[in-house]
Amino acid sequence: MSVVAVSAAGVLLGLRFKAPALIAATALLVIGSFAWNGLGLPGHVTVTKFLILAFVLACAYIIGLSLSVHWRQKEG
């Protein structure tokens, strides 16, 4: 479920924002992972899981960015 949520966030970021938003979202992912593990909630975020989520976020951002460019070219 977290992969789907991160993917959706990445596509939405790509549709609207530039690269600094991706850096901020990745930093938020790091902070959220540490907070999740620190609170002792179920489903600990391991390093491998974090790397997968960061990769999915970046790929989804690129997809959203390419969709944004495609739609802008189609309109203009």
Side-chain angles (χ1 to χ4, degrees):
M1 188 61 155
S2 59
V3 172
V4 174
V6 168
S7 296
V11 170
L12 292 175
L13 280 172
L15 287 173
R16 180 72 174 107
F17 298 106
K18 303 277 184 196
L22 178 62
I23 295 168
T26 305
L28 187 62
L29 184 62
V30 169
I31 293 168
S33 297
F34 281 129
W36 188 270
N37 289 340
L39 292 174
L41 298 170
H44 291 288
V45 180
T46 60
V47 173
T48 305
K49 188 172 182 180
F50 168 75
L51 291 174
I52 290 170
L53 290 175
F55 180 75
V56 167
L57 178 65
C59 289
Y61 174 81
I62 291 171
I63 291 169
L65 191 62
S66 64
L67 287 173
S68 173
V69 169
H70 176 71
W71 286 339
R72 287 181 189 156
Q73 287 177 351
K74 198 173 187 179
E75 289 176 356

